[in-house]
Amino acid sequence: MRKILWIMPNKEKKFSGIFKYNKELIKIKTKSCNVKTLYTGNSELYFHTFMFKFFLIPFYLILNSHRFYTLVLPEEGYAFLRFFSFAKKNIIIIHDYRKVFSKNNVINLNERIKQFYLDINFIFIKKFFKIIVPSKFTKELISKNLFINQKKILIIPNIINFENKKSKYNSKFRVLKNLRKNSQIVLTITSNETRKNIKQLNEIVKKCKKINFIIVGNLSDEFNLNNVFNFKNISDENLIYLFKKSNTYLDVSLFEGFGRSLIEAQIFKLNVICFKTKINKEILKNSATFIRHNTKFQNICKILKKNNLNR
């Protein structure tokens, strides 16, 4: 059996799309290969992750990477580790190429710093034997902007697996018990990143006062409205509970590398409403209700009400 060393994000990121994507690929490869998993720490503390990513893992690679046939890196922010690897084959997963978004939109200081860091990492991309991406959209972006031969880029869509996972109630959800039985409930999974378009989501929520919104994500500024319920750090089992509790899934993200949560929502028979972006058209075809970026908020409310009633 060939030996693979698979670097993983911090264990505290286990609910993130990047973590889940890597985890499902590891499950597949474990059937035919000897896979050793190395995590970037197990603490929420930034210093802890920093030490693992920039000191402990590079040191480990210098001493041990030659013992492995393949090294797999979990996302684009780890590309610099190629410099320390002596494995025969080096593979990296690129989840998105958001520079095309950052270049054309006003982003905050933290995002600019992160983009600068990613730009440095992309210098190493051509040194990899294979590049794995989750979509044709991402493949075309990195091929065009980083001048990568398309033959080196392998598309593996998100593997979404809820097998052996059951709906699980969380004490956080007790606030939902006061909702009427036939309440209209819209679910969205998001974050504070500019590309997630939180400001527009906030305006939609304010306009749609008769609809209840469940927002999942670690938001720094919670929506302080009576029709909004915000939950952070929830497991897949808890997420299943919320999917089953909801009628519609709303996504107003302006840029994604795949759009995992949209597919998850459809698995649980939710009506999906989202922008008509290239990636959404690729993964959803004609199975969602597409809206324009400039659609009036009151019109979005009407669409949400209609979709809630049709479920």
Side-chain angles (χ1 to χ4, degrees):
M1 270 192 171
R2 285 180 173 173
K3 295 176 69 177
I4 298 175
L5 175 60
W6 205 299
I7 308 298
M8 283 287 284
N10 190 297
K11 283 186 177 181
E12 289 297 319
K13 300 290 185 181
K14 62 184 178 181
F15 300 135
S16 71
I18 289 175
F19 195 101
K20 292 176 182 177
Y21 183 89
N22 279 271
K23 190 176 179 180
E24 291 300 330
L25 291 185
I26 289 172
K27 285 181 183 178
I28 294 172
K29 293 304 294 183
T30 301
K31 296 175 182 178
S32 59
C33 299
N34 182 4
V35 181
K36 177 178 174 58
T37 307
L38 188 61
Y39 293 90
T40 315
N42 57 4
S43 169
E44 291 183 354
L45 296 175
Y46 176 76
F47 178 74
H48 184 89
T49 302
F50 183 89
M51 288 299 296
F52 267 86
K53 189 172 184 178
F54 297 104
F55 291 97
L56 298 180
I57 292 178
F59 186 66
Y60 181 90
L61 291 178
I62 291 171
L63 295 180
N64 299 292
S65 60
H66 67 279
R67 300 176 183 174
F68 297 88
Y69 185 80
T70 304
L71 170 69
V72 182
L73 300 178
E75 50 107 335
E76 48 272 23
Y78 286 72
F80 74 95
L81 291 175
R82 174 65 184 87
F83 182 78
F84 304 98
S85 174
F86 298 98
K88 187 172 182 179
K89 292 184 178 180
N90 295 273
I91 297 172
I92 189 167
I93 300 168
I94 297 181
H95 297 268
D96 62 59
Y97 186 74
R98 66 188 63 179
K99 186 172 183 176
V100 293
F101 175 82
S102 303
K103 191 167 57 177
N104 298 313
N105 292 272
V106 178
I107 58 176
N108 62 44
L109 178 60
N110 286 340
E111 290 171 333
R112 288 201 296 270
I113 293 171
K114 183 175 181 180
Q115 186 59 61
F116 176 72
Y117 168 73
L118 289 175
D119 288 344
I120 293 173
N121 275 270
F122 281 128
I123 294 172
F124 298 92
I125 293 299
K126 289 185 179 180
K127 301 293 184 182
F128 286 87
F129 172 71
K130 281 287 182 185
I131 299 168
I132 297 174
V133 296
S135 63
K136 181 182 177 183
F137 173 65
T138 302
K139 178 177 180 176
E140 290 174 349
L141 282 180
I142 63 172
S143 176
K144 178 182 177 181
N145 291 279
L146 298 176
F147 307 105
I148 305 292
N149 188 329
Q150 290 209 11
K151 292 181 180 178
K152 289 182 69 174
I153 307 172
L154 176 64
I155 300 174
I156 303 180
N158 265 272
I159 302 164
I160 300 171
N161 184 7
F162 284 107
E163 286 183 15
N164 303 320
K165 291 180 181 179
K166 296 181 179 180
S167 174
K168 187 177 181 181
Y169 176 78
N170 188 311
S171 59
K172 296 177 183 179
F173 303 153
R174 60 182 177 274
V175 293
L176 300 175
K177 287 190 173 181
N178 296 326
L179 296 177
R180 298 194 315 273
K181 189 174 182 180
N182 295 321
S183 295
Q184 294 181 331
I185 302 174
V186 174
L187 175 67
T188 187
I189 301 171
T190 188
S191 73
N192 274 315
E193 293 178 84
T194 302
R195 65 191 179 92
K196 295 292 187 178
N197 202 17
I198 293 297
K199 288 183 179 180
Q200 187 166 5
L201 177 61
N202 195 17
E203 292 300 320
I204 292 171
V205 169
K206 286 178 182 177
K207 288 288 182 182
C208 307
K209 294 178 181 179
K210 294 183 179 180
I211 297 176
N212 296 295
F213 290 83
I214 296 176
I215 301 177
V216 176
N218 296 326
L219 305 179
S220 57
D221 297 318
E222 294 188 21
F223 290 69
N224 190 23
L225 297 163
N226 292 331
N227 62 329
V228 175
F229 305 90
N230 180 218
F231 302 111
K232 305 177 181 181
N233 298 320
I234 64 171
S235 67
D236 279 349
E237 290 79 7
N238 293 156
L239 190 57
I240 292 172
Y241 178 89
L242 295 178
F243 276 131
K244 290 184 174 181
K245 187 82 175 174
S246 306
N247 309 105
T248 300
Y249 187 86
L250 173 67
D251 183 84
V252 292
S253 177
L254 299 171
F255 181 86
E256 295 289 340
F258 183 82
R260 179 188 181 94
S261 59
L262 301 172
I263 304 298
E264 290 177 334
Q266 289 193 331
I267 289 174
F268 291 95
K269 311 299 182 184
L270 269 69
N271 297 314
V272 171
I273 301 172
C274 59
F275 288 137
K276 193 175 182 178
T277 59
K278 284 186 178 180
I279 186 59
N280 287 345
K281 286 295 292 182
E282 177 185 339
I283 66 172
L284 298 173
K285 306 302 181 186
N286 295 315
S287 65
T289 299
F290 294 107
I291 55 177
R292 298 180 183 277
H293 296 145
N294 60 352
T295 301
K296 292 181 179 179
F297 299 135
Q298 53 264 42
N299 290 338
I300 294 177
C301 289
K302 290 178 182 178
I303 294 169
L304 287 172
K305 287 178 183 177
K306 182 180 178 181
N307 276 267
N308 270 290
L309 292 171
N310 289 343
R311 186 175 186 246

